[in-house]
């Protein structure tokens, strides 16, 4: 074998060896990935929780429409957990459908006007507008968790204002038909009207302003 062929053969050997190493390494990474995996008993538990952006998971439970109004439903082991008690909320996917008469019977006249007739409360009329302490804002019609105080801010409008809901699936946002194209915000669980979302919220956050009717919500301090 002449020197040139020897060099070519050696280079070929090195290349083949290198590819073989890379291929084997790649397989190991795939194996490691599937070993970390998502196949465990945690899947069932995780499916009942939804992540709040950067926040704790929300624990859901199938509770039907009661109790009303809104409020945090105490979990079975909440007492035992003490400070680490995880509040339990109805799953927004667990829809509430009541007749108009049933809604009239359940809600105050003011809450009915807003939630079921898309009314608007007078500005500065809701005690929830001034709430600053940590807690949960739930739908006054069905208990669906809507907002937490950590995304609340003083918009100066006289209506409770937030820059984000707890999770997208907890509310429905839909463009209103009409001359002005406002985006209506409704409860994802009972379809009750909550307010509107505008694009003049705090720019350092989402830039959104969820302008809510306080009478359509219930507040529970943490
Ligand atoms: Zn609701």
């Amino acid at each position: 074998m002449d020197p040139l062929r020897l060099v070519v053969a050696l280079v070929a050997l090195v290349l083949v060896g290198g590819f073989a190493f890379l291929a084997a390494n790649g397989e190991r990474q795939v194996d490691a990935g599937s070993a970390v995996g998502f196949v465990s008993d945690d899947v069932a538990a995780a499916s009942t929780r939804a992540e709040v952006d950067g926040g704790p998971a929300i624990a859901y439970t199938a509770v039907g429409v009661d109790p009303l109004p809104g409020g945090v439903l105490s979990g079975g082991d909440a007492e035992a957990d003490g400070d680490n008690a995880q509040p339990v909320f109805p799953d927004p996917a667990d829809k509430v459908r009541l007749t108009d008469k049933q809604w009239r019977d359940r809600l105050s006249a003011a809450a009915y006007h807003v939630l079921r007739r898309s009314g608007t409360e007078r500005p500065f009329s809701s005690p929830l507008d001034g709430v600053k302490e940590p807690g949960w804002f739930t739908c006054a019609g069905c208990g669906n968790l809507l907002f937490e105080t950590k995304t609340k801010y003083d918009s100066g409008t006289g209506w409770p204002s937030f820059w984000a809901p707890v999770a997208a699936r907890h509310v429905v946002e839909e463009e209103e038909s009409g001359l002005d194209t406002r985006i209506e915000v409704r409860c994802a669980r009972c379809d009750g009207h909550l307010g509107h979302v505008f694009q003049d919220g705090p720019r350092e956050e989402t830039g959104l302003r969820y302008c809510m009717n306080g009478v359509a919500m219930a507040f529970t301090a943490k």
Side-chain angles (χ1 to χ4, degrees):
M1 187 179 283
D2 63 50
L4 183 59
R5 288 195 176 192
L6 184 61
V7 167
V8 169
L10 283 173
V11 168
L13 268 174
V14 166
L15 284 176
V16 169
F19 279 124
F21 172 78
L22 284 176
N25 207 35
E27 278 178 21
R28 268 200 297 278
Q29 284 176 351
V30 170
D31 286 347
S34 58
V36 171
F38 299 97
V39 185
S40 78
D41 293 337
D42 290 338
V43 171
S47 68
T48 63
R49 289 160 182 268
E51 287 292 328
V52 180
D53 290 341
I58 301 167
Y60 296 121
T61 185
V63 292
V65 70
D66 289 314
L68 287 179
V72 176
L73 308 165
S74 57
D77 55 355
E79 297 285 323
D81 288 350
D83 288 344
N84 296 322
Q86 175 72 36
V88 179
F89 301 95
D91 191 326
D94 179 20
K95 304 295 182 192
V96 171
R97 299 271 183 264
L98 300 179
T99 65
D100 189 58
K101 169 144 188 1
Q102 287 173 313
W103 282 122
R104 279 184 189 278
D105 291 345
R106 303 185 85 106
L107 298 171
S108 70
Y112 174 87
H113 175 65
V114 170
L115 282 166
R116 308 319 304 183
R117 286 288 175 266
S118 301
T120 301
E121 70 186 12
R122 283 183 301 106
F124 302 102
S125 66
S126 171
L128 298 196
D129 184 34
V131 167
K132 290 185 170 62
E133 62 186 311
W136 299 276
F137 294 83
T138 51
C139 173
C142 72
N144 180 29
L145 179 61
L146 301 169
F147 301 94
E148 287 191 69
T149 308
K150 63 186 177 186
T151 64
K152 190 174 188 288
Y153 73 102
D154 185 6
S155 65
T157 60
W159 288 286
S161 302
F162 305 81
W163 46 261
V166 288
R169 67 188 289 265
H170 287 233
V171 295
V172 173
E173 298 177 16
E174 208 163 78
E175 197 168 290
E176 281 183 339
S177 56
L179 291 177
D180 57 343
T181 52
R182 292 188 300 179
I183 307 292
E184 181 192 16
V185 179
R186 298 198 309 270
C187 171
R189 186 168 186 244
C190 75
D191 207 40
H193 172 82
L194 301 169
H196 296 87
V197 58
F198 302 95
Q199 302 200 344
D200 57 1
R203 298 183 64 161
E204 67 275 18
E205 303 293 352
T206 59
L208 299 175
R209 171 170 61 96
Y210 285 81
C211 183
M212 300 291 102
N213 289 278
V215 74
M217 301 188 295
F219 175 72
T220 305
K222 286 193 178 180

